[in-house]
Amino acid sequence: MSARLLEGAPIADRIKDDVKAAIAEMATPPKLAAILATDNKGAAFYAKAQKKACEEVGIAYELVELGAEADQATVEGNIGQLNADANVTGIILLMPVAEGVDSRACQRAIDPDKDVDGVHPANLGRVVQGSTTLAPCTAQAVFELAKASGVALFDEPMQCVGKGIEVCVVGHSEIVGKPSALLLLDKFCTITVCHIGTRDLKAHSTKADLLVVAVGKAGLVKGEHVKPGAVVIDVGINRIKDDEGKTKTVGDVVFDEAVEIASQITPVPGGVGAVTTAMLLKNVIDAARLQGK
Ligand code: NAP
């Protein structure tokens, strides 16, 4: 069997169209402010990609560059100003932050209604309640891809009796693994979350109708870890060297093996990443609505 590719672009395009339509109804276009408190190249690259995505749909983008010397008071001071600025709809703190800055404390300082990254405890609390409003972008992307795959997700307890699918989420981070598991749990999936302490990954992953992998280790999940006919969502992004020494981007799943066993699989690149970016834009719209804009 060769799996169908579960591509992110069509889903991302639909979300972006919804975002554009929502902006067309607003008196003033929303604005996303991103704080770059580091000299990390990856964070700066991500900021550029965010700016491009925002401009494409009509969201204004401001980059607050604080550099690698930024300290806690400076970062929190800037967050305070952005919280108070009625023109700013969403705030995002780019990761990683400069050494010595407590990123969690900074995230807690962001007004929850402007927290478009979905990292404030108040927004993670909404996820526990089954809401996707200001949920972490990648978890929402996983959820959208799961819906697009057609796996059985149920809204009502009475519809799901004895029919809920088995899901295995590999990776238990706060912004991907845990919220993805919670959003799927709310649709009556039976969830197993695997992590560094899991004794036998294969025993769990091969039971899963939907396998979500979010670790950051190329080659962790092989064909033998996949149940025949399962849907595989590969969140991982890893830069590796191929046999000819060229650098390429791969996921956590050995694609060539899994594609022969799964029924559907997300490509890397071209799967989760595109939907994650679109979800950030959607979160800006959700934030605008929470602020009555
Ligand atoms: P993270 O915060 O580093 O979390 C990785 C998780 O994997 C942790 O829960 C870790 O557990 C677990 N883990 C480590 N080794 C493991 C193993 N051998 N078996 C099972 N679990 C293991 O990373 P993240 O932010 O969740 O991101 C995960 C991956 O997704 C990364 O490659 C990242 O680049 C990518 N990502 C992609 C997108 C996208 O849009 N496509 C968005 C976000 C992230 P411990 O903490 O207990 O070690």
Side-chain angles (χ1 to χ4, degrees):
M1 184 203 292
S2 195
R4 182 175 84 85
L5 281 190
L6 191 50
E7 286 178 300
I11 301 169
D13 287 347
R14 176 177 48 75
I15 296 161
K16 284 189 223 163
D17 285 346
D18 290 348
V19 167
K20 283 185 207 161
I23 293 172
E25 304 274 300
M26 289 180 186
T28 44
K31 178 174 172 181
L32 174 61
I35 299 175
L36 185 65
T38 174
D39 59 1
N40 180 280
K41 287 203 176 83
F45 177 82
Y46 192 45
K48 263 193 195 161
Q50 281 178 352
K51 183 171 190 282
K52 188 167 168 265
C54 283
E55 287 173 354
E56 203 184 309
V57 294
I59 294 173
Y61 187 84
E62 179 191 345
L63 184 63
V64 181
E65 292 185 73
L66 303 178
E69 305 307 315
D71 61 13
Q72 192 72 27
T74 310
V75 179
E76 289 199 27
N78 275 272
I79 289 172
Q81 282 175 23
L82 296 170
N83 283 342
D85 186 343
N87 293 317
V88 171
T89 321
I91 303 169
I92 193 162
L93 179 64
L94 290 151
M95 291 292 161
V97 288
E99 226 179 287
V101 175
D102 178 348
S103 58
R104 275 204 172 160
C106 294
Q107 288 166 340
R108 282 196 301 272
I110 296 173
D111 177 345
D113 286 355
K114 293 190 176 185
D115 166 38
V116 290
D117 224 3
V119 289
H120 191 285
N123 289 323
L124 291 170
R126 284 187 217 264
V127 174
V128 175
Q129 293 177 337
S131 168
T132 54
T133 301
L134 297 189
C137 305
T138 309
Q140 289 194 67
V142 167
F143 189 59
E144 283 301 315
L145 283 155
K147 283 201 282 186
S149 77
V151 291
L153 303 174
F154 297 96
D155 290 321
E156 299 295 332
M158 287 318 291
Q159 296 168 347
C160 76
V161 179
K163 297 186 209 154
I165 61 161
E166 297 284 333
V167 175
C168 180
V169 178
V170 188
H172 65 160
S173 72
E174 278 167 28
I175 61 156
V176 189
K178 282 181 193 169
S180 298
L182 285 166
L183 291 177
L184 291 162
L185 178 62
D186 200 58
K187 297 296 172 198
F188 299 96
C189 302
T190 301
I191 317 282
T192 304
V193 181
C194 295
H195 42 70
I196 195 75
T198 300
R199 275 184 281 173
D200 186 352
L201 175 62
K202 193 175 154 189
H204 299 290
S205 65
T206 49
K207 283 191 195 140
D209 306 301
L210 171 63
L211 178 59
V212 179
V213 189
V215 173
K217 283 193 180 152
L220 178 74
V221 169
K222 302 178 177 53
E224 64 178 22
H225 291 95
V226 179
K227 175 180 167 180
V231 173
V232 177
I233 299 180
D234 188 357
V235 182
I237 299 175
N238 308 288
R239 298 283 289 158
I240 62 155
K241 287 223 157 73
D242 67 13
D243 296 342
E244 288 154 15
K246 283 190 194 142
T247 306
K248 64 173 188 173
T249 302
V250 297
D252 292 340
V253 177
V254 181
F255 183 87
D256 292 349
E257 292 181 13
V259 76
E260 295 302 326
I261 296 158
S263 62
Q264 298 179 61
I265 184 167
T266 57
V268 180
V272 179
V275 188
T276 298
T277 306
M279 283 304 174
L280 174 65
L281 308 174
K282 178 244 176 206
N283 273 359
V284 175
I285 301 305
D286 284 354
R289 291 197 173 123
L290 286 173
Q291 293 157 44
K293 289 180 180 170

